[in-house]
């Protein structure tokens, strides 16, 4: 459980924070689009219910839905992420391997448990790129991870150049790890405790293989079965072609997830993952039918939290300091007592 620091004072005041958020977002998205050859596109706020396009996250979260009068009360859903929509967009644009898209994604997740790093409002850079079939390897995934991490590093230095009181803390290299290795090495720890241990040790890590079964039958963290490939053998004794970028957050004294990303499912891995999760009924959705028929471009993609990145770089204690959301009375009182100014 994430706990607020006992003693905290924001490095920047509210006005400076607002200016810094704009600067971070402008700089990072330009760095990311340049590094990965991404073109900015406009994204939907909602999609049709029952099409299979909306992200199911862990399969239990309820999307916000509403009927549309002009469409005979057809039901729409506020997106929970654009994991699958991006693949459709890449296919429609007929992009060549090595090129992709990014967008500002705004989502609502009303079932989220509110704490210093979780809000019902989610804002992230959703990105996706076309890849060759030969690049469906963990080695290619890790090369892209390193590029994304370099963009985060450059943004940290950019911010330091503007606000020298915010010292850079990210290590030169990101450490590549595997969830099954961590389970074998620290069997007595929970997945969250393992993340804390390695994030504190290395400063920045990419934990590969999120969603698939570990040696003891558990999973490191939940992943829906129909976007990331977490079942394919990676070729080096591990399973899974996805993972999370985590950094050590000294303000919260905790591992801190900045990005989730991975190579997207092939028709074969989608079928296997739907079977493993006992949800073959999804194969009837339009998105899944197209994917199973081999009609969708092979892609690699992910999401990078905008408020999360700003929170980390600005050394903030609560995500409500870098986004406007809704909080319980208890959270608001506790933050006020601790000197945390929620936007």
């Amino acid at each position: 459980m994430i706990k607020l620091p006992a003693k905290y004072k924001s490095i920047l005041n509210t006005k400076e924070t607002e200016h810094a958020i704009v600067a971070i977002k402008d700089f990072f998205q330009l760095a990311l689009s340049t590094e990965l050859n991404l073109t900015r596109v406009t994204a939907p706020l909602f999609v049709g219910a029952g099409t299979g396009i909306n992200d199911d996250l862990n399969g239990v979260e309820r999307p916000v839905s509403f009927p549309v009068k002009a469409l005979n009360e057809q039901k729409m859903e506020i997106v929970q992420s654009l994991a699958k929509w991006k693949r459709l967009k890449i296919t429609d644009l007929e992009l060549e391997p090595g090129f992709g898209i990014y967008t500002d994604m705004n989502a609502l997740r009303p079932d989220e448990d509110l704490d210093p790093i979780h809000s019902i409002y989610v804002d992230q850079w959703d990105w996706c790129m076309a890849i060759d079939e030969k690049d469906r390897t963990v080695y290619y995934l890790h090369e892209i991870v390193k590029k994304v991490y370099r963009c985060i590093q450059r943004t940290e230095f950019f911010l330091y150049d503007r606000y020298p009181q915010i010292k850079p803390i990210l290590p030169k290299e990101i450490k590549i790890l595997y969830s099954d290795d961590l389970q074998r090495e620290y069997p007595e720890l929970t997945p969250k405790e393992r993340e804390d241990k390695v994030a504190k040790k290395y400063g920045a890590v990419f934990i590969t293989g999120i969603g698939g079964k570990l040696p003891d039958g558990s999973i490191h963290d939940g992943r829906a079965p129909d976007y990331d490939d977490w079942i394919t053998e990676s070729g080096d004794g591990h399973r899974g072609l996805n993972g999370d970028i985590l950094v050590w957050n000294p303000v919260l004294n905790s591992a801190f997830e900045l990005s989730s990303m991975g190579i997207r499912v092939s028709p074969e891995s989608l079928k296997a993952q739907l079977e493993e999760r006992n949800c073959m009924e999804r194969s009837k959705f339009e998105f899944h039918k197209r994917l199973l028929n081999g009609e969708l471009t092979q892609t690699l993609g992910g999401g990078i939290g905008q408020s999360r990145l700003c929170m980390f770089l600005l050394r903030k204690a609560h995500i409500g300091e870098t986004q406007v959301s809704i909080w319980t009375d208890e959270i608001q009182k506790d933050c006020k007592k601790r000197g945390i100014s929620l936007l």
Side-chain angles (χ1 to χ4, degrees):
M1 182 178 178
I2 301 292
K3 295 182 179 180
L4 291 171
K7 294 182 179 180
Y8 171 77
K9 180 174 175 56
S10 178
I11 298 173
L12 303 183
N13 63 35
T14 301
K15 185 175 181 179
E16 290 171 329
T17 296
E18 294 280 18
H19 290 165
I21 289 171
V22 174
I24 290 170
K25 291 183 176 182
D26 287 347
F27 183 90
F28 180 80
Q29 65 183 3
L30 180 59
L32 184 72
S33 62
T34 303
E35 187 74 47
L36 298 184
N37 298 323
L38 306 177
T39 296
R40 193 185 190 287
V41 297
T42 302
L45 178 60
F46 47 85
V47 294
T51 60
I53 298 175
N54 205 357
D55 185 357
D56 298 288
L57 302 176
N58 294 308
V60 296
E61 294 87 348
R62 300 168 300 166
V64 176
S65 62
F66 59 93
V68 179
K69 179 181 177 181
L71 298 177
N72 296 318
E73 304 301 315
Q74 182 179 340
K75 192 176 178 182
M76 296 289 152
E77 293 178 349
I78 302 294
V79 296
Q80 297 194 110
S81 91
L82 298 173
K84 290 176 276 188
W85 176 86
K86 291 177 295 184
R87 191 163 184 179
L88 294 173
K89 189 70 174 180
I90 290 277
T91 300
D92 291 342
L93 291 173
E94 299 181 344
L95 296 184
E96 294 294 323
F99 296 89
I101 59 174
Y102 79 97
T103 189
D104 286 315
M105 191 281 297
N106 297 291
L108 292 179
R109 298 179 183 174
D111 286 341
E112 196 73 77
D113 292 327
L114 303 182
D115 65 24
I117 65 172
H118 292 99
S119 165
I120 67 169
Y121 170 60
V122 179
D123 57 340
Q124 66 183 29
W125 290 284
D126 248 321
W127 64 274
C128 192
M129 59 190 294
I131 65 172
D132 269 319
E133 185 66 28
K134 65 178 177 61
D135 291 325
R136 295 193 80 256
T137 69
V138 73
Y139 311 107
Y140 186 74
L141 169 65
H142 290 163
E143 287 303 310
I144 301 301
V145 168
K146 292 171 186 175
K147 289 185 177 184
V148 173
Y149 181 67
R150 285 199 293 269
C151 293
I152 297 173
Q153 280 182 306
R154 289 203 293 271
T155 308
E156 184 182 49
F157 176 76
F158 164 78
L159 192 66
Y160 170 62
D161 198 39
R162 285 190 165 211
Y163 303 97
Q165 64 270 44
I166 303 178
K167 308 294 184 184
I169 59 174
L170 289 172
K172 184 178 180 181
E173 305 289 343
I174 185 169
K175 181 70 174 179
I176 304 296
L177 300 170
Y178 292 85
S179 60
D180 53 356
D181 285 343
L182 293 179
Q183 191 276 320
R184 292 188 191 96
E185 187 174 359
Y186 307 110
E188 74 285 359
L189 301 182
T190 66
K192 179 63 176 68
E193 289 170 339
R194 293 171 205 151
E195 291 179 355
D196 284 342
K197 194 170 190 70
V198 296
K200 187 173 186 178
K201 180 178 180 180
Y202 297 108
V205 298
F206 181 75
I207 299 180
T208 312
I210 307 289
K213 289 182 180 179
L214 299 175
D216 65 351
S218 66
I219 60 173
H220 185 84
D221 198 4
R223 282 294 186 278
D226 42 18
Y227 56 97
D228 275 355
D229 187 329
W230 40 256
I231 203 168
T232 296
E233 293 287 341
S234 61
D236 55 359
H238 303 279
R239 191 169 78 152
L241 301 175
N242 71 338
D244 292 340
I245 293 178
L246 304 163
V247 296
W248 180 250
N249 188 321
V251 177
L252 296 177
N253 199 36
S254 170
F256 193 72
E257 181 186 329
L258 291 179
S259 176
S260 173
M261 57 189 289
I263 292 173
R264 302 320 198 188
V265 287
S266 64
E268 295 75 22
S269 58
L270 172 62
K271 186 173 184 295
Q273 291 180 181
L274 290 177
E275 289 176 345
E276 183 165 313
R277 291 288 169 82
N278 297 313
C279 51
M280 285 300 294
E281 70 279 359
R282 294 191 192 183
S283 62
K284 299 177 182 178
F285 293 144
E286 187 61 30
F287 172 86
H288 299 70
K289 285 194 292 187
R290 288 188 64 186
L291 204 162
L292 291 167
N293 288 335
E295 298 173 13
L296 301 185
T297 301
Q298 180 58 64
T299 59
L300 186 163
I304 302 162
Q306 295 186 9
S307 294
R308 282 275 187 99
L309 182 63
C310 292
M311 180 184 169
F312 172 73
L313 294 177
L314 296 174
R315 314 294 183 243
K316 297 292 189 178
H318 198 287
I319 198 167
E321 295 179 88
T322 55
Q323 64 160 239
V324 177
S325 187
I326 190 167
W327 308 101
T328 65
D329 290 342
E330 291 76 15
I331 289 175
Q332 293 182 61
K333 289 177 182 177
D334 189 39
C335 287
K336 186 175 182 179
K337 181 179 69 176
R338 296 172 186 269
I340 296 173
S341 298
L342 302 176
L343 298 181

